[in-house]
Amino acid sequence: MQSLLVDGGRKLNGTVRISGSKNAVLPMLAATVLFKEPCCIRGCPKLTDVDAAIDILKYLGAEIQWYDGDLMVDPRSIRKWDIPDSLTRRMRGSVFFAGALMARFGKCRLVQPGGCPLGKRPINFHVDGLTALGARQDSDDPGVYLGEISGTEIMLPYPSVGATENLILAGVGASGETVIRNAAKEPEIECLCDFLRAGGCCISGDGSEIVRIKGGLPSGADMQMIPDRMEAATFACAAASAGGDVIIEHVNTAHLETVLQVLERAGCRIDRFEHTIRLRSDRLHSPGTIITAPYPGFPTDAQAPMMAALLRAQGTTTIYETVFSDRMHHISAFVEMGAKIELNKNSAYIHGVSELHGGAVTAQDLRGGAAMVIAALAANGTTTIHGLNHIQRGYEDFTLKLCALGAKVQKA
Ligand code: EPZ
């Protein structure tokens, strides 16, 4: 298991450029299954989760080619639909292939995917949605769903990001119109729909709670990725934690407004431009209570990075995690580094301390691992963070970007 060594106590100064969005590109890669012609995804991030999605596309029969930071996918030779569990288990993003394959072939394998251990992560909304569209479980193999799907109205019990995206992909292959109510509104969903519309699909309402999809497979598309709002939030929290003056380029500032507001309440000076943020930070104080929620609320993926940034903030900060049932694993690592945190079910009470110290900690998930780096930047001495593989799933050139800002981070 590869590790990171972080020498803390150094301020961050300089400019960092954000990569394309992991959580937008994963459903887009699954969506290429639907296209009749080749697609180009410009600004595709080089991540291990993207590698996992590419391995699935290659297994299915697609032709893949990288051109610098752009990814070409030719889906015309895709003939397979039955993805082996070994590929499905590598990440949560594999679940999107079920909706796309159902749309193209009228059959798919829909089994529990991989992904970060954030508590129970069932796929019942995905199964119920595909069933409502007409998919039926194969009597001989319960992991397989098949049938002619036709448009219908689906009410999601919760604005699930993945279920919304999966059912949009299935709806593209259904006859008639599919309406998804109580849909998630995350920017990654609008990016997926822009990609499908670039191929000629007729989709409206994305970004609101009612999404309408008219059946009809897309031709080809050539589209620029949106920037990764979670990577931007991570670097904003890193600058807040270590202190300094950092410019974050290639962001859609509106996509991380709730994160910026919390950092401003904590004492950061933030200058906003449409695609750039300047953040200056010295001493932080508690921003009060933070409650995670579906977009446009405070994003659950920024919960761990923000907690890390506030470990030395004067006063007590309350963070209440409402989206996932078990997303506080990073707390034990922060306590190991000298933080004072009480946890009561999904509420964490962070009592600011004057100093953190280095130690040896282990990442268990993507955002928790990045948060441990953020805490280590503010700690006195050296911190060893095991589990670099978790971080590499969602952050492109993370070490390089941090060192360019003046941090002392190296792989071990
Ligand atoms: C997506 O996960 C993201 N992953 C997650 O990012 C993100 O944290 C999450 O959305 C919420 O914003 C990708 O896009 C690849 P959900 P997803 O369905 O789709 C429950 C990261 O760090 N639920 O919105 O799995 C679920 O258990 C990752 O980049 C069901 O009960 O999230 C959770 O409590 C982590 N049944 C809640 O809904 C279902 O069928 C929200 O999950 C599906 C979900």
Side-chain angles (χ1 to χ4, degrees):
M1 177 162 55
Q2 251 205 322
S3 307
L4 275 185
L5 288 178
V6 181
D7 281 343
R10 307 158 78 98
K11 289 191 182 298
L12 299 185
N13 290 287
T15 299
V16 60
R17 180 177 169 77
I18 299 301
S19 300
S21 164
K22 166 182 88 81
N23 288 349
V25 78
L26 293 178
M28 286 168 68
L29 287 167
T32 60
V33 164
L34 297 167
F35 283 76
K36 298 173 199 158
E37 299 297 327
C39 307
C40 182
I41 298 176
R42 299 196 182 276
C44 182
K46 290 189 167 64
L47 305 167
T48 52
D49 269 11
V50 169
D51 296 338
I54 288 173
D55 287 347
I56 292 175
L57 283 168
K58 285 179 177 171
Y59 170 83
L60 295 173
E63 306 279 324
I64 305 284
Q65 185 67 48
W66 281 102
Y67 293 96
D68 292 333
D70 301 335
L71 186 73
M72 284 291 289
V73 180
D74 185 345
R76 288 175 294 187
S77 41
I78 289 180
R79 296 288 176 271
K80 290 184 184 171
W81 59 272
D82 194 353
I83 301 171
D85 292 0
S86 57
L87 291 177
T88 302
R89 270 199 297 270
R90 286 171 61 184
M91 57 156 183
R92 182 83 180 178
S94 58
V95 74
F96 304 128
F97 284 92
L101 290 165
M102 199 69 216
R104 175 152 174 192
F105 293 111
K107 46 191 171 184
C108 69
R109 177 170 289 279
L110 179 54
V111 294
Q112 189 62 34
C116 292
L118 308 175
K120 287 193 304 296
R121 295 186 75 181
I123 54 171
N124 55 321
F125 301 160
H126 301 250
V127 171
D128 296 350
L130 287 182
T131 306
L133 286 165
R136 291 293 172 265
Q137 222 168 1
D138 183 337
S139 49
D140 301 330
D141 181 346
V144 172
Y145 287 79
L146 30 82
E148 280 300 303
I149 51 176
S150 47
T152 187
E153 283 225 354
I154 298 164
M155 168 62 88
L156 286 176
Y158 180 91
S160 155
V161 173
T164 301
E165 291 165 335
N166 216 354
L167 295 171
I168 287 170
L169 294 173
V172 164
S175 55
E177 183 181 59
T178 299
V179 179
I180 303 171
R181 295 187 182 281
N182 196 23
K185 306 176 207 166
E186 273 69 1
E188 292 76 25
I189 293 167
E190 292 182 84
C191 184
L192 171 65
C193 292
D194 286 342
F195 184 54
L196 291 166
R197 277 190 285 261
C201 287
C202 189
I203 303 172
S204 60
D206 42 298
S208 79
E209 66 271 14
I210 303 178
V211 181
R212 296 174 186 280
I213 308 104
K214 284 206 171 34
L217 296 181
S219 49
D222 181 336
M223 199 180 98
Q224 178 69 39
M225 279 305 308
I226 59 170
D228 192 318
R229 62 192 171 106
M230 284 309 137
E231 186 190 12
T234 301
F235 276 97
C237 289
S241 171
D245 183 347
V246 168
I247 291 179
I248 305 173
E249 284 183 335
H250 188 231
V251 297
N252 185 325
T253 309
H255 289 169
L256 59 156
E257 186 53 34
T258 51
V259 173
L260 299 179
Q261 285 176 10
V262 169
L263 289 171
E264 278 176 322
R265 288 209 308 268
C268 291
R269 272 189 62 190
I270 297 178
D271 299 308
R272 292 168 180 77
F273 308 93
E274 197 184 351
H275 298 297
T276 303
I277 293 163
R278 181 183 181 187
L279 186 146
R280 283 168 278 183
S281 170
D282 189 7
R283 287 293 301 141
L284 297 180
H285 51 264
S286 167
T289 296
I290 300 168
I291 304 174
T292 67
Y295 194 87
F298 186 91
T300 175
D301 291 349
Q303 181 254 101
M306 183 60 76
M307 189 185 293
L310 297 173
L311 297 175
R312 295 188 303 159
Q314 285 164 332
T316 295
T317 301
T318 300
I319 298 184
Y320 181 32
E321 171 60 54
T322 73
V323 176
F324 287 104
S325 59
D326 187 10
R327 191 172 201 169
M328 296 282 190
H329 302 298
H330 38 279
I331 288 179
S332 54
F334 296 157
V335 170
E336 172 74 23
M337 298 167 71
K340 270 184 71 183
I341 305 175
E342 292 166 78
L343 178 62
N344 176 10
K345 295 200 180 72
N346 274 326
S347 294
Y349 304 93
I350 300 99
H351 307 291
V353 293
S354 53
E355 288 197 343
L356 295 170
H357 55 73
V361 294
T362 301
Q364 296 179 47
D365 62 75
L366 164 61
R367 307 300 174 186
M372 289 174 201
V373 175
I374 290 172
L377 292 171
N380 300 326
T382 302
T383 303
T384 303
I385 299 161
H386 302 296
L388 176 58
N389 55 300
H390 290 286
I391 298 174
Q392 290 170 325
R393 287 186 47 217
Y395 292 97
E396 185 179 46
D397 297 334
F398 195 48
T399 311
L400 220 58
K401 290 176 178 176
L402 284 169
C403 292
L405 292 174
K408 200 155 176 250
V409 183
Q410 56 184 330
K411 291 178 186 168

